[in-house]
């Protein structure tokens, strides 16, 4: 065999592509269950973080079972769809939001999960949400106290926001502003994010991020749209 011939070179390249491609495909299939497990554990960590329970990935399953006492799924009318254990956790709000924005899913077909937690004898209601920042998806978990109005904790994340600007939504200096503020005023969603909108003078608002106005308004839109859906359900369980 002439190893210097063009035929040998092309043949060798084709064999290597097939071998490497097969190995990568095998690795992707083999690692997928571990990737899914890590995604689920991270989701549990984020839900717990919204009620100020910080946990490692190895402890996430146990602490999630300890603190999350009930899972509820409602529709866009605030009507209960399911209260089965695991029903809310199984909903991929990012996927549903993406399909809705693309017109592939009707708004009436969207599912809205809710996690009812108990910590130190107090009930907290964790609402997952997803929206759009300047450069891509943003998402988060916001917990309410037992009055179903006062924010207890919030944690946000993003995919492609600019470091030092829109990406600041996931930093504590932004998230900690939310604690103690209220979503509703006179029965309507009143929460806003704006320049100079925070402080003790405004119980329904926090300061936006300097240089990250569009992403800040994306967080505001995400909260307003999401909590508008949950309003009838909250009013029902409070009555």
């Amino acid at each position: 065999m002439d190893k210097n011939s063009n035929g040998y070179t092309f043949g060798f390249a084709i064999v290597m592509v097939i071998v490497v491609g097969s190995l990568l495909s095998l690795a992707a299939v083999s690692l997928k269950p571990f990737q899914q497990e890590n995604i689920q554990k991270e989701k549990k960590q984020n839900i717990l973080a919204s009620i100020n329970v910080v946990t490692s990935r190895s402890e996430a399953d146990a602490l999630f079972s300890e603190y999350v006492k009930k899972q509820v799924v409602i529709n866009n009318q605030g009507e209960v769809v399911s209260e089965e254990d695991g029903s809310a956790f199984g909903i991929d709000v990012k996927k549903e939001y993406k399909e809705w924005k693309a017109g592939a899913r009707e708004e009436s077909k969207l599912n809205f999960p809710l996690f009812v937690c108990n910590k130190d004898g107090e009930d907290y209601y964790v609402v997952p949400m997803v929206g759009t920042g300047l450069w891509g998806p943003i998402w988060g978990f916001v917990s309410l106290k037992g009055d179903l109005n006062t924010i207890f904790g919030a944690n946000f994340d993003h995919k492609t926001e600019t470091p030092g600007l829109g990406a600041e939504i996931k930093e504590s200096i932004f998230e900690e502003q939310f604690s103690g503020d209220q979503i509703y005023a006179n029965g309507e969603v009143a929460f806003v994010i704006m320049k100079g909108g925070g402080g003790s003078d405004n119980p329904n608002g926090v300061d936006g991020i300097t240089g990250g106005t569009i992403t800040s308004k994306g967080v505001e839109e995400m909260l307003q749209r999401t909590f508008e859906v949950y309003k009838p359900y909250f009013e029902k369980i409070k009555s």
Side-chain angles (χ1 to χ4, degrees):
M1 181 180 296
D2 183 4
K3 294 185 177 180
N4 295 319
S5 67
N6 289 335
Y8 178 85
T9 301
F10 284 121
F12 181 80
I14 291 172
V15 170
M16 288 302 296
V17 167
I18 294 173
V19 171
V20 173
S22 299
L23 290 174
L24 289 175
S25 297
L26 179 63
V29 172
S30 302
L31 293 175
K32 190 171 183 178
F34 298 102
Q35 293 172 338
Q36 290 298 323
E37 182 179 359
N38 283 334
I39 291 172
Q40 292 188 355
K41 287 182 182 293
E42 184 181 13
K43 184 176 179 179
K44 290 178 179 178
Q45 287 179 286
N46 289 331
I47 292 170
L48 292 171
S50 72
I51 58 170
N52 294 342
V53 174
V54 179
T55 177
S56 65
R57 195 157 293 186
S58 62
E59 297 175 321
D61 288 336
L63 291 178
F64 186 82
S65 298
E66 178 181 343
Y67 287 102
V68 178
K69 301 302 181 183
K70 184 178 180 181
Q71 298 187 33
V72 183
V73 180
I74 63 173
N75 60 21
N76 72 326
Q77 300 298 312
E79 301 165 335
V80 175
V81 174
S82 175
E83 292 182 324
E84 292 183 8
D85 188 33
S87 58
F89 191 81
I91 293 173
D92 187 341
V93 293
K94 295 178 191 175
K95 180 182 177 183
E96 292 198 3
Y97 176 76
K98 184 178 180 181
E99 292 174 349
W100 173 61
K101 293 286 284 185
R105 182 187 286 259
E106 296 177 12
E107 187 174 5
S108 60
K109 302 296 183 183
L110 294 174
N111 295 295
F112 296 88
L114 176 70
F115 301 90
V116 184
C117 306
N118 189 278
K119 176 187 173 188
D120 300 328
E122 298 288 337
D123 286 335
Y124 299 96
Y125 297 80
V126 180
V127 177
M129 56 191 66
V130 60
T132 304
L134 174 60
W135 298 112
I138 56 176
W139 58 90
F141 297 88
V142 175
S143 65
L144 300 182
K145 294 183 178 180
D147 64 358
L148 293 166
N149 190 15
T150 306
I151 298 174
F152 180 70
N155 70 312
F156 303 108
D157 209 341
H158 63 90
K159 187 176 182 180
T160 53
E161 296 307 307
T162 307
L165 298 175
E168 295 293 296
I169 63 170
K170 63 178 294 184
E171 302 300 327
S172 58
I173 192 172
F174 179 69
E175 296 173 334
E176 289 175 354
Q177 296 184 86
F178 289 74
S179 179
D181 273 20
Q182 297 183 337
I183 296 293
Y184 304 101
N186 300 318
E188 302 297 331
V189 176
F191 194 84
V192 295
I193 299 175
M194 55 190 295
K195 185 177 181 180
S200 57
D201 293 338
N202 185 1
N204 299 110
V206 301
D207 292 334
I209 298 167
T210 302
T213 303
I214 294 178
T215 304
S216 297
K217 299 307 287 185
V219 175
E220 177 188 273
E221 187 278 333
M222 178 172 71
L223 266 77
Q224 291 178 347
R225 170 173 41 81
T226 303
F227 280 110
E228 185 66 35
V229 172
Y230 284 79
K231 186 175 68 172
Y233 176 73
F234 289 160
E235 290 174 348
K236 190 180 302 179
I237 62 175
K238 281 194 295 187
S239 62

